Amino acid sequence: MSKRILITGAAGFIGSHLCDRFVNEDFEVVGMDNMITGDLKNIEHLFPKKNFVFYNHDVSKFVHVPDQLDYILHFASPASPIDYLKWPIQTLKVGSLGTHNLLGLARVKNARILVASTSEVYGDPLVHPQPEEYWGNVNPVGPRGVYDEAKRFQESITMAYHTYHGLETRIIRIFNTYGPRMRLNDGRVLPNFFYQALSGKDLTIYGDGSQTRSFCYVTDLVEGIYRLLFSDYAQPVNMGNPDEITISQFADEIIKLTATTQKVIYESLPKDDPKQRQPDITKAKSLLGWEPKVQRAEGLKITYDYFKKIMK
Ligand code: UDP
């Protein structure tokens, strides 16, 4: 009999790619999303499939799923700085109450649960690159606190269910990830730059552009999630692409790729914006034999084609 998996945040960027992967692997997939940042366009191609169902539901309220469940992937949450500033309370609730509900569901179903955590648990890191053992540098009452602390609580309660209830749990710390189905207006640097280049606007660099990020293409991440789910490792695992660049270099790459004649302009740096970020993926490599395969040039090209299509 096929295994049955619940994917929360199913209509979101990463969630919808996970739905694709598990539908293609012949799992029975139950997608769930409350649609505050999700988009049905990301999953409408799955509706005709026999092994896909969708529930419009907010997981911070009691979650009921009939019948067997073997796995749960908890990917519901606003996840860009603009989004969690717009929905701070929902962000706190989905990471805390939502995670609690799904852990309870996992217990009654005897299911294994993997929760999506984030590099934001490291805050503005004082250790570089960031290994899983680093505890982070987070401002709990700053604008990013609602996301960072919800995710830190999520890790904590997930580990408690593992320790006290013997629940099978997995925790992934996701670093900046990109690809088709990112929302054009989610405020992140990549959709922003593409949107600006495609609509004849100057590219906005926040601060002096010397801050760094490391961008992972979405199918690489999905492969890592898949491997972690079927591993037996319950401690947090970083996943991302260690290929680190400054935001200025990133703007240059987008300008070259899109052949825009616009220039860059400088705006003020948002509060608590991390100065540098690069995953240490030693654990993922040694435990799961995983590392990213898609080079930025290739991933950006596919993503650019996607944005061109949706902006027509
Ligand atoms: N950023 C930028 N211009 C933009 C949007 C973002 O320079 O139009 C910067 C932002 O200040 C941060 C980096 O790009 O230093 C990545 O921001 P993003 O919102 O994508 O995600 P973060 O990694 O900060 O969560």
Side-chain angles (χ1 to χ4, degrees), residues 52-284:
F52 182 75
V53 290
F54 178 74
Y55 294 105
N56 185 333
H57 180 71
D58 177 353
V59 297
S60 61
K61 309 221 165 66
F62 183 84
V63 182
H64 172 71
V65 176
D67 306 326
Q68 145 218 359
L69 270 185
D70 303 288
Y71 302 102
I72 298 175
L73 299 179
H74 182 25
F75 278 72
S77 179
S80 82
I82 293 282
D83 286 346
Y84 47 74
L85 286 183
K86 196 160 160 200
W87 290 287
I89 314 290
Q90 287 95 328
T91 302
L92 281 158
K93 283 169 76 176
V94 71
S96 55
L97 307 179
T99 303
H100 187 207
N101 288 336
L102 293 163
L103 288 165
L105 182 67
R107 258 190 101 198
V108 296
K109 300 285 186 186
N110 206 9
R112 180 181 297 179
I113 178 168
L114 181 150
V115 299
S117 186
T118 166
S119 55
E120 283 285 325
V121 299
Y122 302 121
D124 190 358
L126 305 176
V127 169
H128 192 75
Q130 294 81 54
E132 287 85 349
E133 289 72 26
Y134 178 50
W135 292 350
N137 177 38
V138 170
N139 175 3
V141 294
R144 289 176 177 254
V146 294
Y147 185 60
D148 302 8
E149 297 296 0
K151 290 296 188 181
R152 289 169 69 97
F153 175 85
Q154 175 185 62
E155 290 197 9
S156 185
I157 192 171
T158 300
M159 201 45 81
Y161 267 69
H162 176 69
T163 310
Y164 292 103
H165 292 310
L167 190 70
E168 288 210 46
T169 57
R170 306 287 179 264
I171 300 172
I172 175 180
R173 291 187 181 149
I174 301 172
F175 285 66
N176 293 69
T177 298
Y178 71 98
R181 302 185 191 155
M182 286 186 100
R183 265 194 8 254
L184 205 50
N185 63 347
D186 83 354
R188 284 179 177 279
V189 66
L190 183 143
N192 256 11
F193 282 175
F194 274 126
Y195 172 75
Q196 289 159 345
L198 282 165
S199 54
K201 296 188 165 74
D202 291 334
L203 275 62
T204 52
I205 290 184
Y206 301 162
D208 63 5
S210 63
Q211 71 271 36
T212 67
R213 292 296 185 271
S214 311
F215 296 96
C216 183
Y217 188 66
V218 64
T219 52
D220 279 336
L221 184 83
V222 166
E223 177 61 27
I225 294 165
Y226 195 84
R227 290 188 191 198
L228 180 62
L229 179 66
F230 298 112
S231 77
D232 57 7
Y233 191 72
Q235 295 296 317
V237 178
N238 285 340
M239 274 178 198
N241 191 324
D243 186 1
E244 179 183 3
I245 51 164
T246 67
I247 294 302
S248 290
Q249 288 169 317
F250 191 56
D252 287 343
E253 289 187 2
I254 303 282
I255 288 172
K256 235 182 237 132
L257 173 63
T258 58
T260 175
T261 51
Q262 302 298 133
K263 53 186 193 320
V264 298
I265 51 170
Y266 293 87
E267 293 185 358
S268 57
L269 193 65
K271 186 166 160 43
D272 297 339
D273 196 284
K275 281 178 278 305
Q276 49 183 3
R277 190 184 280 156
Q278 188 206 123
D280 177 336
I281 58 164
T282 312
K283 267 208 178 69

